[in-house]
Amino acid sequence: MTQSQPNEIFLKDYQVPAYLIETTALRFELGEDNTRVFADLKIIRNPECQQSNPALQLDGHPDLVLQELAIDGRSLTTDEYQREGELLSIAAVPQAFELHCVTVLEPQNNTALEGLYKSDGMFCTQCEAEGFRRITFYPDRPDVMSVFETIVVAEKALYPILLSNGNAVERGEEGDTHWVRWQDPFPKPAYLFALVAGDLKYIEDSYTTMSGRDVKLQIFAESKDLDKLDYGMTSLKKSMRWDEEVYGREYDLDIFMVVAVDFFNMGAMENKGLNIFNTSCVLAHPATTVDAGFQRVEAVVAHEYFHNWSGNRVTCRDWFQLSLKEGFTVFRDSEFSADMNSRTVKRVEDVSLLRTAQFAEDAGPMAHPVRPASFIEISNFYTLTVYEKGCEVVRMIHTLLGADEFRKGSDLYFERHDGQAVTTDDFVQSMEDASGRDLTQFRRWYSQAGTPVIDASGTYDAEARRFSLTLRQSCPATPDMAEKQPFHIPVAIGLLDQQGGEYLLENSATTQVLDFTAAEQVFHFENIDSEPVPSLLRGFSAPVKLSYPYSQEAHIFLMQHDSDGFNRWDASQQLAVEMMQALIVDHQAGKALQLPEQLVNAYRTVLADSSLDKAMVSKILTLPSQAYLSELAEVIDVEAIHKVREFVRNTLAAELEPLWQDVYQANLSEAAYSPDADSIARRSLKNLALAYLLATGKEEYLQLALQQYDAADNMTDQQAALTLVTHSDFSAATDDLLARFYDSWKDESLVVNQWLSVQASKPSEGALARVEALLQHPAYDAKNPNKIRSLVGAFCGQNPVNFHHQDGSGYAFLADQIIQLNKQNPQIASRLLGPLTRWKKYAPARQQQMRAELERIKASGELSKDVFEVLTKSLAV
Ligand code: TRP
Ligand code: ZN
């Protein structure tokens, strides 16, 4: 907890550190009542710092108990240093000296899950972004890089495994305790420090790097989860190979360790040589993990591994540069997943997330540039903007430069900055220097928030055989900035002829990338024989909202003929969106709803075409989500969107029933479960067909779903059946099925999380009462972020009709949860706030209810910086 008016920190105020830490020697004496941390730091003046005799400033959390502080062997008296808030300063220090510091912690009582804490009886750490200051007094900033040595001491019986960064160089025993000494030869900032101690089991493998070095690979977990580690290991080895092949990056230590922990605020953490993972992002087994879970494990393992270069070897100068490592690393893991699975499907998934969640963030009160200019609490800036939009910004550089020049740029970046803490500007500079491209204007993507809007229109001159495309760009104001300068936007485009063939454009290619840099620009295409249908923003070449006055026929034409797979899908989405938006207006006007024949026919054509890629068929036939339709709406009418989606789904179910039956039958499989792209596509199409069949409301399909539930040899099929039945109108079958599911899986924590989510997101009346009952269920643990996300998070984020209930009960419920979590786990509290901060998008009655709950949280007592920042910013707009 902090004072009521926390400081805002600005990028423009950056100053180099006054002191550098050459070496950091740590000794942890882990105990049940308390843990003592001995830190010995070799400190020198930073030659680059201009100040004369600056004070030594160390970060330390206000709750941190200081037991001893000494310089060059002499203990300091309390008047020789000052503690104020998060800072400890020592006014007079030598040019070079040794600092000795002893702190006392109570990890077992650390519910914030930052710094050193306990997860299910094991000790573990989370130091990014500013958790190290909860362990000892230290310059806790990423531009202070030091060589670490760590001795971990603990009771042998309770903590047989003792881990830290780097290589284990020595170990020993003394009575009931034992210890291990770890050395990490690579200088690193404190946020990459890690320690784990517990009764862990592990699997081991090895990897031979491209230069022929053998690396030992170990993945640790509680013994009950030992059978769920193989997929993570396979993913790790694939990631190591891919980074060598695509980026020329080799692993640099002799050992790489991954640990699975159940209490974790985020997905995973890239600590040097010792990655720590949320169990949800590394454990995988066909019986307990759904297809999306396997893909998430593969992606997150890759993401954290890739950080070894993009994040660890080259790190961030300050936290405003967070996207330097996160945007780039998301780009790397996204390309890896595209190479391992289906590229188009991966693109559709990434863009869907961006368009719903990131665009909403960009339009909300917490909007910020990819490189924020200020913050109160950095934990609030691990956002979709920094990660996903940051990834899109790197992807645009890749599009502008082409793969080869981009690789030259990344090689130069890694070579030039190895061992340094740098800025997003340094990254762009390397790309410029290697390619000769001018990215001056492009840099605005890092400094201007908001989602650019492109208005496109085309004219065809038959006589001149010329097609002209006019593009106009603008960017809405965001709380931090009213006026935006034009962006440098790569617009990938193709032109289709009347038969669905493609015109050859620049360099005889069918796709051309336009450099769209002015507020308005006209592009001409010559030798076009007849009026073309333009395919715009192919592959979603920029994170913008583009509109073009397409007819329904043009959407359908593109759906069938576009050579760009992403745009084929996008055409189907836009077609459905436009029709559903019209239906929403009809519903609001009290008119009877009628589904246009064109949509039914378009879907019928896709469904009947067995030559199409199954994954894409299933993506195309999935209706635009409630979240996407909400993001697009001027004012979100929760009920109308929900009603229209149900109506369209039910109508498509009834009209195409025989086709859904065929698709279901054709995609049943006898083969053993495998999480490869083709099998995943087959299951997703089959389960989509089952969803439509259940939507007919016919009893026989309930039986089909129950049959699938019982026959399933994998969690994907079982969970699909459970969710569909639970969310269907067959309420009689639901309770029994939920009870059976719980009974089968009550010992599998991650499966129980799915069981909680399925109930929390059930759209029928009375959801809140069910959620409140589940809060009391023995399976729930109010201190475990995964449980909170599965129940409270799912209710507030995935059950719009109930969360936004007219009586305001959903809002009050969330506010109560946040007030409780604010003290216990500020990071989670602040993240959960999200749905309430978007009050401006709703009609006045709801706005008032939502604001009132925000005010109630504000008045509830002392707020963490995390909650304070999100609250004040969302009340200010
Ligand atoms: N750097 C982590 C990543 O790979 C993010 C992260 C993990 C994190 N745990 C955290 C960020 C806790 C803030 C707080 O993306
Ligand atoms: Zn990351």
Side-chain angles (χ1 to χ4, degrees), residues 82-365:
Q82 271 194 331
R83 264 188 93 169
E84 212 182 298
E86 294 222 348
L87 277 184
L88 185 156
S89 37
I90 309 175
V93 292
Q95 289 275 332
F97 59 100
E98 285 186 29
L99 186 85
H100 175 74
C101 176
V102 183
T103 50
V104 186
L105 323 176
E106 292 181 4
Q108 68 280 10
N109 297 326
N110 178 351
T111 57
L113 315 185
E114 292 179 81
L116 180 67
Y117 66 93
K118 277 191 127 178
S119 171
D120 276 340
M122 71 173 107
F123 288 96
C124 62
T125 55
Q126 172 54 43
C127 294
E128 187 178 5
E130 299 181 331
F132 196 74
R133 62 188 62 188
R134 291 170 178 261
I135 293 174
T136 189
F137 291 90
Y138 201 84
D140 189 9
R141 44 187 289 170
D143 56 353
V144 172
M145 300 170 82
S146 177
V147 172
F148 281 66
E149 172 177 298
T150 307
I151 299 173
V152 189
V153 189
E155 199 179 311
K156 243 182 306 181
L158 289 173
Y159 310 101
I161 300 278
L162 306 175
L163 309 174
S164 190
N165 316 85
N167 305 308
V169 293
E170 201 187 349
R171 55 182 78 228
E173 300 193 6
E174 252 168 77
D176 289 344
T177 67
H178 67 151
W179 56 270
V180 180
R181 190 155 64 90
W182 291 86
Q183 273 177 351
D184 178 2
F186 293 95
K188 65 168 175 288
Y191 85 86
L192 290 173
F193 169 80
L195 174 154
V196 171
D199 185 3
L200 299 165
K201 300 287 177 268
Y202 63 96
I203 62 166
E204 186 171 299
D205 207 329
S206 75
Y207 176 83
T208 307
T209 69
M210 61 191 196
S211 72
R213 277 190 313 105
D214 278 335
V215 180
K216 190 196 283 187
L217 311 176
Q218 295 176 323
I219 307 185
F220 297 82
E222 292 179 49
S223 74
K224 66 179 167 62
D225 293 322
L226 196 59
D227 63 339
K228 306 186 189 76
L229 300 177
D230 293 341
Y231 194 72
M233 185 64 87
T234 306
S235 304
L236 175 59
K237 288 188 285 181
K238 284 186 188 170
S239 309
M240 295 177 88
R241 186 64 68 215
W242 188 90
D243 211 15
E244 292 179 347
E245 286 172 2
V246 179
Y247 281 87
R249 299 292 117 200
E250 189 177 2
Y251 186 62
D252 51 10
L253 286 163
D254 300 332
I255 180 166
F256 186 81
M257 298 171 285
V258 169
V259 183
V261 306
D262 208 28
F263 284 63
F264 204 71
N265 283 346
M266 306 270 282
M269 180 63 211
E270 70 265 24
N271 317 302
K272 184 75 185 189
L274 178 56
N275 288 359
I276 298 183
F277 275 63
N278 188 322
T279 47
S280 72
C281 293
V282 62
L283 302 184
H285 190 284
T288 52
T289 310
V290 299
D291 289 338
F294 275 89
Q295 296 197 309
R296 179 145 174 82
V297 168
E298 183 179 70
V300 180
V301 166
H303 179 97
E304 306 310 331
Y305 174 73
F306 295 157
H307 268 315
N308 190 55
W309 274 96
S310 50
N312 301 1
R313 288 288 288 258
V314 182
T315 194
C316 303
R317 188 192 73 173
D318 54 71
W319 291 120
F320 299 101
Q321 318 298 330
L322 182 57
S323 197
L324 173 79
K325 72 177 179 82
E326 296 304 346
F328 187 24
T329 304
V330 173
F331 176 67
R332 280 150 55 69
D333 84 58
S334 159
E335 285 294 292
F336 166 76
S337 293
D339 284 347
M340 296 298 120
N341 304 289
S342 153
R343 178 162 286 272
T344 310
V345 169
K346 175 65 178 158
R347 193 66 190 134
V348 166
E349 288 167 355
D350 286 354
V351 172
S352 299
L353 176 67
L354 194 82
R355 271 185 177 161
T356 53
Q358 196 280 325
F359 282 12
E361 184 169 278
D362 242 349

Side-chain angles (χ1 to χ4, degrees), residues 16 47 116 145 219 226 259 323 387 418 441 517 528 545 568 642 660 684 688 711 802 822 866:
V16 298
L116 180 67
M145 300 170 82
I219 307 185
L226 196 59
V259 183
S323 197
Y387 277 66
D418 189 8
Q441 184 184 355
T517 53
I528 305 298
K545 294 184 176 184
R568 271 204 308 279
H642 182 71
W660 297 124
S684 99
L688 181 78
N802 282 286
N822 169 59
D866 311 60

Side-chain angles (χ1 to χ4, degrees), residues 19 22 42-45 71-72 93-98:
Y19 292 89
E22 290 186 307
K42 268 206 172 74
I43 304 184
I44 55 163
R45 277 288 304 275
I71 286 183
D72 291 331
V93 292
Q95 289 275 332
F97 59 100
E98 285 186 29

